[in-house]
Amino acid sequence: MVQISNTTLSALGAFGRRFQGIANNIANVNTDGFKKSRVDLKDNHPAGVEAVITRIETPGFLKPAEDGSPEMRESSTVELEEELVGLIGTKRGYQVNIEVLKRENENIGTVLDLIAG
């Protein structure tokens, strides 16, 4: 039973880091030259789940500077639509792991009731 809790807590931490990565990307959607990050979840047997953060080095589009100067600036590489889809999946994964912890807690309570009864 402890292994399930450890794995679930590990997954919750990894999903939390994924939330942070998505939030950082969304916050910088209009920051010139910003390179988005991707947070992938990796099986880290037997310890659970690990968040692997990768900076995506794809160049942004060139656009004229907003101050009217002749230089061109690179736009952010964040695509808001992609981030919102990732946010939905991450939210659902977080919710599922919370439910696993709740069920584990109920199971432990049942076992303790059986032992005490």
Side-chain angles (χ1 to χ4, degrees):
M1 289 186 195
V2 174
Q3 182 64 31
I4 292 171
S5 296
N6 288 341
T7 301
T8 304
L9 290 172
S10 171
L12 287 171
F15 278 115
R17 284 186 287 287
R18 184 180 264 180
F19 271 128
Q20 291 171 346
I22 291 170
N24 185 51
N25 287 343
I26 290 172
N28 287 289
V29 70
N30 292 320
T31 303
D32 289 342
F34 180 79
K35 304 291 185 190
K36 68 181 175 182
S37 296
R38 178 175 295 131
V39 181
D40 295 312
L41 303 182
K42 178 183 171 190
D43 181 16
N44 191 7
H45 187 73
V49 181
E50 176 183 6
V52 179
I53 303 170
T54 307
R55 184 175 168 181
I56 308 301
E57 295 295 336
T58 305
F61 295 106
L62 291 178
K63 63 180 186 175
E66 293 177 8
D67 61 5
S69 65
E71 70 181 50
M72 299 293 278
R73 297 203 179 179
E74 181 182 358
S75 67
S76 169
T77 60
V78 176
E79 297 175 28
L80 195 53
E81 300 83 5
E82 178 184 342
E83 299 303 322
L84 293 177
V85 169
L87 189 59
I88 292 167
T90 302
K91 176 186 171 191
R92 187 66 187 131
Y94 199 88
Q95 290 171 330
V96 167
N97 279 281
I98 290 292
E99 286 300 316
V100 169
L101 278 180
K102 287 179 183 177
R103 299 300 172 251
E104 180 67 12
N105 188 36
E106 289 173 7
N107 289 342
I108 291 171
T110 301
V111 168
L112 291 175
D113 288 345
L114 290 172
I115 292 172

